[in-house]
Amino acid sequence: MRLLVPPLFLSVLLLGVSGPTVLRAQTVKPVKVATDTVTFVTPLLIDENGEPMVGLTLINRNQKISKTTDANGSCSLAGAKNEVLEVRALGSLVNTYVLSDDRFPTITVSTKHPAVQRLKPVRLLNNTQMQSDLTAASTQTVYNNDLTKMPVASFLNALPGRFAGLGSIQGSGEPGSDGTALSLRNQGPLVVIDGIPRNITVFDLEEIESVTVLKDALATAMLGVRSSNGVLLVNTRKGFASRPRISFTAQTAVQQPLRQPKTLGSYDYARLYNEALTNDGLPEAYTQQDLEGYRSRSDPFRYPDVDWRKQVLKPSSRMDRYTFSASGGNSFSRYFVSLEHLNQTGLLRTSDINTYNTNNDFKVYTVRSNVDLNLNSKLSAGIHLFGRILNSNDAGYVIPNTNTTGTSSIFSALINTPNNAYPIYNPNGTYGGTTQFQNNIWAQAIGSGYRQNYQRDMLADFYLKRTLDEVTKGLWIRATGSYYATLSENIARNKTFAVFQQTAADVYQQFGVNGDQANNNGIDFQSRADYLELALGYDRAFGQHGIQAIVLGNRDNAVGGSDLPYTITGTSGRFSYNYSGKYIAEASFAVNGSNRYPEDGRTRVGFFPAFGLGWNLSKEEFMKSLTWLTHLKAFASVGKTGNDRPGYFRYIQTYFDSPSVFLVPERVLIRRLPSNPWPITISPGKKQTNSMPDFRVVCGRTDWALLWNITK
């Protein structure tokens, strides 16, 4: 079967420069210490996110000795009280520390420093990582400390403004439905959590170690048929060998609408409505007596002037977040555990006449447990568990013959109801209404019962990894399995209400009925997914030559509701080579496809290659004379990615009976899939020319980045 293949995607990175940071720190004079007081200290080096820093150099100014931090961010070196340690990253001084009596001090460095940032590994697909100087892939990362500053329920809402090329639109502020729709170059990026594609965005922000955007074909090609739209790569926090670290965070925020429409008062509305009718040559709707009644507000029942937004909505709402986390470990086991409760209240006012809640509230309970084990010197394993409970509440009203409920129906009525439509209550205490307006907004909020939604999610990831150094040094094999299940249930305890229009003294016309509370429940949606992966990797340096490679086979299977499974299977891999850390060559590929194509649900496979080159110019001898320049890198990539959107077996011919009446016995509509239902698109999603220079120039701690992208 012929595949539709557009022209190749070309990504060219022109320049990237960076300069040293000007460190303004108090000069600490070395202190002479008696030799009999010298001991060994074991500092722990972490960044502001609490993650261990690998590859930092500690120098004891007094004793002229140095050590480099290991994978746990620690090292041991001789030192005594009042001696000064210098902390350097890639030769740049990033911090100083005066030793005290503590033999296990914790020293924090900032990732805002360009040299520290370059030491942070670049997270890539399938739980792999590389040093930022040794890859030609286009990525950008934001870390935990920046994410947790935002009082949001979904981590997507904390991302706008933090990534070049990432657009965002938030269409609603309703609790539980206020997620941001993100676009990367006008495409919706795929969310990958700990190496596995997931549709989860609401969880504890403090369990996130980093969010990385993968932008080009070289970074995303291993996803094959799902690689065109870019990737949001979420890595959760893991434990490391250190003393136990316990954290408790309490966060409170006040939320309010940025702006509310300002409505006309009843007098101005009636006056301008008359004017509009006169301009159209029509008779006026309101008499002078009516206008005077609205102006003077002498009779609030006959001439109402209700500001419905103030009546129904609170000016602000509150969000509270409480998070407890613990991490630590030793040479055998490492752990990170997090518990969180989020309570987000809505804007709807409530009434004491009800014994139940009618506000649109949202509550989340989240638990995360990441445990990694070293079973022996060659075998390691991990069990990563995630559980989530989401409870939402809303007013019970449903617009007749629609699916619009609760807060959505109330906001719709607020837009369409003038201040003079009807009074809140009549003189006899009944809800006000008219022939035209039979759905009293206040009754919708407090007199229609309530609706609830309960959602439960469970996620379990497992892996087993063994080094194969007995075969060749640097070789390893890893098996990964994952299972995810979610269930959402709706409970409706709603009721109807009647409204009344006063036609004379103590005479009312009724619209609707006061019904008893109806109780029903049903499954909103349910789905499950399982993932299997077997990977073989190699990571080794031979003198000035460095090689990193991985090849894997995987199967991602998802079932939603009563649908048949949607399964993607295939093989993918990546190869990276560098010479002396200066010259980089990379290649990645995927051969995979999904099972939604003819014949009879056959898996249709495509080939998606990508290639990249990089050059660290700042490491060349001819660049050494530029003392103001610390980092200059040029890299380019070219590749092809896929965008698999087969629909639900759309190739099967389908017949629909038309509900309309025609002067023929019957009309039948036929739907068929086009002959080429699966276009393979060019990275990232279309034909593209990319340039993503990485500029870092000496200007305090300023990082300059330039992104150039052309889409055809």
Side-chain angles (χ1 to χ4, degrees):
M1 183 174 291
R2 184 173 65 90
L3 303 182
L4 181 61
V5 182
L8 290 180
F9 155 79
L10 179 63
S11 156
V12 180
L13 182 54
L14 299 179
L15 291 175
V17 291
S18 75
T21 296
V22 179
L23 182 66
R24 294 179 175 87
Q26 181 179 0
T27 303
V28 182
K29 296 181 179 180
V31 178
K32 294 183 179 180
V33 181
T35 56
D36 59 349
T37 63
V38 175
T39 59
F40 281 89
V41 294
T42 306
L44 174 64
L45 277 295
I46 60 174
D47 61 17
E48 69 271 30
N49 309 294
E51 298 299 317
M53 287 298 306
V54 183
L56 289 175
T57 301
L58 270 72
I59 302 175
N60 188 317
R61 286 182 182 177
N62 302 72
Q63 302 189 35
K64 308 300 181 183
I65 57 175
S66 65
K67 288 291 182 68
T68 302
T69 57
D70 58 18
N72 295 311
S74 65
C75 62
S76 294
L77 74 167
K81 186 177 180 179
N82 295 326
E83 289 188 341
V84 180
L85 298 183
E86 291 184 358
V87 182
R88 292 184 174 270
L90 301 175
S92 298
L93 178 66
V94 297
N95 203 352
T96 58
Y97 183 83
V98 180
L99 291 174
S100 63
D101 292 327
D102 187 2
R103 294 183 56 198
F104 301 94
T106 299
I107 304 175
T108 303
V109 296
S110 174
T111 55
K112 299 298 187 289
H113 193 293
V116 176
Q117 192 175 65
R118 286 170 56 201
L119 277 181
K120 296 286 288 183
V122 174
R123 306 292 186 179
L124 298 173
L125 293 171
N126 302 100
N127 292 309
T128 58
Q129 61 185 41
M130 296 185 66
Q131 187 177 334
S132 61
D133 291 353
L134 302 181
T135 180
S138 176
T139 66
Q140 190 177 355
T141 302
V142 63
Y143 296 99
N144 173 271
N145 191 55
D146 291 323
L147 294 175
T148 53
K149 295 176 181 178
M150 304 293 292
V152 295
S154 169
F155 80 89
L156 298 182
N157 291 1
L159 300 183
R162 300 189 181 277
F163 294 102
L166 187 69
S168 63
I169 298 176
Q170 184 174 352
S172 172
E174 180 181 352
S177 302
D178 58 353
T180 297
L182 299 179
S183 63
L184 185 62
R185 299 172 184 169
N186 297 319
Q187 303 290 332
L190 179 70
V191 176
V192 176
I193 301 176
D194 287 338
I196 302 172
R198 299 292 187 201
N199 188 26
I200 303 176
T201 60
V202 177
F203 52 89
D204 180 8
L205 295 182
E206 293 204 12
E207 72 182 62
I208 299 177
E209 182 264 336
S210 64
V211 178
T212 302
V213 174
L214 307 183
K215 300 182 179 181
D216 67 350
L218 186 61
T220 66
M222 289 182 68
L223 286 168
V225 295
R226 293 182 290 185
S227 57
S228 282
N229 297 348
V231 174
L232 285 177
L233 186 62
V234 180
N235 283 277
T236 61
R237 297 173 67 181
K238 312 297 190 298
F240 57 94
S242 68
R243 290 180 291 180
R245 306 175 69 229
I246 298 175
S247 171
F248 177 79
T249 302
Q251 185 182 58
T252 297
V254 176
Q255 299 177 311
Q256 62 183 28
L258 293 176
R259 183 178 298 175
Q260 287 272 26
K262 186 176 181 180
T263 59
L264 291 172
S266 294
Y267 172 73
D268 290 330
Y269 175 84
R271 179 177 57 82
L272 293 174
Y273 191 71
N274 276 350
E275 183 179 325
L277 292 175
T278 301
N279 292 338
D280 290 340
L282 300 174
E284 294 182 345
Y286 299 97
T287 65
Q288 288 301 316
Q289 181 181 353
D290 294 333
L291 293 176
E292 179 60 25
Y294 289 131
R295 189 191 65 79
S296 64
R297 299 181 179 179
S298 57
D299 187 347
F301 298 105
R302 187 176 180 184
Y303 304 109
D305 188 2
V306 182
D307 188 336
W308 287 107
R309 282 180 171 78
K310 287 186 178 180
Q311 174 64 31
V312 177
L313 303 179
K314 297 183 292 185
S316 63
S317 63
R318 202 172 131 178
M319 188 183 81
D320 300 308
R321 181 196 298 274
Y322 305 97
T323 307
F324 170 84
S325 64
S327 64
N330 50 39
S331 59
F332 172 71
S333 64
R334 301 168 303 282
Y335 63 90
F336 172 82
V337 178
S338 175
L339 302 171
E340 183 189 72
H341 169 55
L342 171 73
N343 183 22
Q344 190 175 11
T345 60
L347 290 173
L348 296 183
R349 295 186 185 274
T350 57
S351 173
D352 292 337
I353 66 173
N354 295 319
T355 58
Y356 47 81
N357 181 24
T358 58
N359 196 2
N360 56 327
D361 295 340
F362 183 58
K363 296 181 180 356
V364 182
Y365 305 88
T366 306
V367 58
R368 161 72 69 173
S369 172
N370 290 345
V371 178
D372 298 278
L373 307 171
N374 291 330
L375 302 179
N376 57 43
S377 60
K378 297 182 179 180
L379 187 63
S380 59
I383 304 174
H384 302 161
L385 304 176
F386 170 81
R388 183 180 67 171
I389 298 174
L390 292 81
N391 297 338
S392 60
N393 192 89
D394 205 353
Y397 184 73
V398 181
I399 296 180
N401 303 317
T402 71
N403 292 322
T404 305
T405 63
T407 304
S408 298
S409 66
I410 291 172
F411 272 86
S412 177
L414 288 174
I415 294 173
N416 297 312
T417 305
N419 287 17
N420 69 339
Y422 50 84
I424 303 171
Y425 293 105
N426 292 308
N428 64 352
T430 58
Y431 292 121
T434 66
T435 304
Q436 182 180 359
F437 297 97
Q438 300 182 14
N439 296 311
N440 185 297
I441 301 178
W442 185 236
Q444 292 184 41
I446 70 166
S448 59
Y450 63 100
R451 304 174 66 87
Q452 295 177 322
N453 176 264
Y454 297 96
Q455 183 176 337
R456 308 291 183 263
D457 298 271
M458 186 278 292
L459 173 64
D461 295 342
F462 309 91
Y463 77 86
L464 192 65
K465 180 179 179 180
R466 190 186 188 282
T467 60
L468 300 175
D469 291 340
E470 64 271 22
V471 178
T472 182
K473 186 177 180 181
L475 187 66
W476 54 266
I477 187 171
R478 183 185 65 213
T480 303
S482 177
Y483 182 80
Y484 168 70
T486 181
L487 174 67
S488 175
E489 179 186 15
N490 287 328
I491 297 178
R493 305 188 188 279
N494 51 353
K495 59 184 178 180
T496 60
F497 56 85
V499 299
F500 297 83
Q501 181 178 11
Q502 187 176 20
T503 57
D506 297 327
V507 178
Y508 297 89
Q509 183 179 359
Q510 179 176 340
F511 303 97
V513 295
N514 289 314
D516 295 329
Q517 179 175 291
N519 302 292
N520 59 79
N521 72 310
I523 300 300
D524 182 27
F525 66 85
Q526 58 182 336
S527 65
R528 65 184 187 276
D530 57 85
Y531 180 86
L532 296 174
E533 175 186 297
L534 182 63
L536 182 67
Y538 185 66
D539 189 356
R540 189 174 179 182
F542 302 88
Q544 293 183 321
H545 305 274
I547 296 176
Q548 187 181 77
I550 182 174
V551 61
L552 59 91
N554 58 9
R555 174 183 181 272
D556 192 358
N557 181 66
V559 180
S562 61
D563 288 351
L564 294 174
Y566 174 57
T567 306
I568 295 177
T569 56
T571 302
S572 58
R574 191 186 74 251
F575 174 84
S576 178
Y577 167 80
N578 75 85
Y579 176 75
S580 192
K582 297 180 183 179
Y583 314 110
I584 305 162
E586 277 189 275
S588 59
F589 75 94
V591 180
N592 65 1
S594 69
N595 65 332
R596 294 283 176 85
Y597 295 99
E599 303 293 335
D600 300 324
R602 177 173 60 88
T603 296
R604 189 176 183 190
V605 175
F607 177 56
F608 308 93
F611 306 93
L613 296 173
W615 183 14
N616 286 302
L617 287 88
S618 52
K619 295 186 178 181
E620 297 288 356
E621 289 298 325
F622 61 82
M623 301 291 290
K624 300 297 184 183
S625 60
L626 302 178
T627 57
W628 55 271
L629 181 68
T630 60
H631 181 55
L632 175 62
K633 178 183 176 183
F635 55 97
S637 66
V638 58
K640 182 178 69 174
T641 61
N643 189 4
D644 184 62
R645 285 187 277 183
Y648 188 65
F649 298 100
R650 293 181 60 194
Y651 62 86
I652 300 176
Q653 183 169 278
T654 308
Y655 297 87
F656 296 92
D657 291 333
S658 172
S660 304
V661 177
F662 296 89
L663 297 178
V664 292
E666 185 178 13
R667 183 184 181 191
V668 178
L669 304 180
I670 303 176
R671 183 186 69 184
R672 295 192 67 181
L673 192 69
S675 58
N676 287 298
W678 179 41
I680 299 176
T681 54
I682 300 306
S683 175
K686 301 292 180 184
K687 179 185 177 184
Q688 301 235 352
T689 301
N690 263 4
S691 290
M692 280 168 257
D694 187 5
F695 279 100
R696 289 187 177 89
V697 185
V698 174
C699 184
R701 288 196 176 188
T702 303
D703 275 349
W704 297 94
L706 174 63
L707 173 65
W708 174 37
N709 175 60
I710 300 176
T711 304
K712 295 182 181 179

